[in-house]
Amino acid sequence: MKAIWNGAIGFGLVNIPIKIYSATETSKLDLDMLDKSDFSNIRFKRVNENTGKEVKWENIVKGYLMDEQYIVLDEQDYEAASPEKTKILSIDQFVKEEEVDSIYFETPYYLEPQKNGENAYRLLLKALEETQMVGIGTFVLRESEAIGMIRPYNDNILILNKLRFDQEIRDYAGLKIPARKAPKPAELKMAVSLIKQLSQDFDPAMYKDTYSDELLKIIKQKAKGKNPKTPKAPAAKEGKVIDLMAQLKASLNTSKSKSAS
């Protein structure tokens, strides 16, 4: 793996030199965009809008449009905006992990201690485990500020979850959410029973990206000249009054039969 950030965690007066690595990768099939007429690959070019000529990566810079004029930025400008945050993720507070709503979670990263940072790394890991807390702080990643939440993962490693800023969360006031009122006691009792019947410890390994597997099967069939049959998906019925009690009873019976088998 290649590190995407080199710096340190600021933990009080202790600095822990670390490297950040992406903790996830996509499981989606790598599909290319093709021209329908002859299946030629579609290529995207970086073109100068005035000359129409392609521009090489090394000649591309970034700028901000102000008063109809671009102000061009370079690496020194990014660091000058917040020199400390480009190299140090300073933990500002410690909180209980359950206090951080999942809507704020964005991307996970692995943290690896650099040379001479191993002892401080282990210390922070153990201290977070003992207190059952997580550390929150900000840093600059890929030319933008981010919130980071540091927590223990699998007993022997620290993980960093990039969090969204509060201003990035959309207001849902414009959605047609039904008014909150108490459901029928019998329906609630049955819904709770169904939840309890389906309750178990979370096992992420039981969830696989089966859609990509099935799509690959179709690709292989088409490669052999076969046309796979497409089963019809059940359509969502809008505007129809739902008999919740009947659906709950059927769900409970189905769940019980699966448990018995």
Side-chain angles (χ1 to χ4, degrees), residues 31-182:
L31 302 176
D32 293 330
M33 296 180 67
L34 309 174
D35 186 327
K36 186 179 180 180
S37 63
D38 63 357
F39 301 146
S40 295
N41 212 307
I42 304 297
R43 301 292 182 191
F44 292 92
K45 294 182 178 180
R46 298 167 295 279
V47 177
N48 183 312
E49 69 174 349
N50 292 324
T51 65
K53 294 181 179 179
E54 187 174 0
V55 183
K56 295 180 179 180
W57 267 117
E58 57 265 29
N59 294 329
I60 293 177
V61 295
K62 291 184 178 181
Y64 183 84
L65 186 61
M66 179 179 285
D67 299 327
E68 299 184 359
Q69 181 180 355
Y70 276 108
I71 310 300
V72 177
L73 298 170
D74 56 31
E75 290 299 323
Q76 289 73 29
D77 296 321
Y78 294 122
E79 291 194 14
S82 185
E84 184 177 316
K85 289 183 180 181
T86 58
K87 294 298 179 184
I88 297 178
L89 194 168
S90 182
I91 298 177
D92 302 315
Q93 57 176 329
F94 292 94
V95 302
K96 293 289 185 183
E97 186 177 351
E98 57 265 27
E99 293 176 8
V100 185
D101 194 283
S102 62
I103 197 171
Y104 292 100
F105 282 73
E106 193 173 313
T107 315
Y109 299 94
Y110 292 134
L111 300 182
E112 175 190 68
Q114 297 194 55
K115 190 176 180 180
N116 298 322
E118 296 89 350
N119 289 338
Y121 182 96
R122 284 193 293 263
L123 174 64
L124 178 58
L125 176 65
K126 187 64 177 175
L128 290 174
E129 288 175 338
E130 288 282 328
T131 58
Q132 297 185 341
M133 304 288 272
V134 297
I136 307 287
T138 56
F139 67 115
V140 172
L141 177 66
R142 292 171 177 158
E143 301 161 7
S144 61
E145 187 166 1
I147 309 173
M149 185 186 84
I150 298 172
R151 62 183 179 86
Y153 177 69
N154 275 6
D155 297 329
N156 62 343
I157 187 172
L158 288 172
I159 197 169
L160 169 74
N161 275 99
K162 185 181 173 187
L163 303 179
R164 296 180 177 89
F165 285 94
D166 188 60
Q167 69 236 49
E168 295 178 287
I169 308 301
R170 288 180 169 180
D171 190 352
Y172 56 82
L175 300 180
K176 296 177 181 178
I177 307 298
R180 183 149 186 168
K181 62 179 183 179

Side-chain angles (χ1 to χ4, degrees), residues 146-245:
I147 309 173
M149 185 186 84
I150 298 172
R151 62 183 179 86
Y153 177 69
N154 275 6
D155 297 329
N156 62 343
I157 187 172
L158 288 172
I159 197 169
L160 169 74
N161 275 99
K162 185 181 173 187
L163 303 179
R164 296 180 177 89
F165 285 94
D166 188 60
Q167 69 236 49
E168 295 178 287
I169 308 301
R170 288 180 169 180
D171 190 352
Y172 56 82
L175 300 180
K176 296 177 181 178
I177 307 298
R180 183 149 186 168
K181 62 179 183 179
K184 296 176 181 178
E187 292 176 348
L188 179 59
K189 184 179 179 181
M190 200 163 287
V192 170
S193 296
L194 180 59
I195 290 172
K196 288 181 177 178
Q197 197 164 294
L198 296 173
S199 294
Q200 56 183 288
D201 292 334
F202 175 59
D203 179 14
M206 70 180 287
Y207 295 95
K208 304 291 183 184
D209 182 4
T210 57
Y211 181 80
S212 292
D213 293 338
E214 294 302 319
L215 192 57
L216 187 57
K217 287 180 184 178
I218 291 173
I219 291 170
K220 289 179 178 178
Q221 287 177 346
K222 295 192 78 171
K224 294 177 181 177
K226 298 178 181 178
N227 287 319
K229 293 181 180 179
T230 305
K232 286 189 176 181
K237 297 177 181 178
E238 294 185 10
K240 186 178 179 180
V241 178
I242 299 170
D243 187 343
L244 275 177
M245 204 62 169

Side-chain angles (χ1 to χ4, degrees), residues 240-255:
K240 186 178 179 180
V241 178
I242 299 170
D243 187 343
L244 275 177
M245 204 62 169
Q247 290 189 348
L248 286 166
K249 284 180 180 178
S251 299
L252 276 167
N253 291 333
T254 302
S255 178

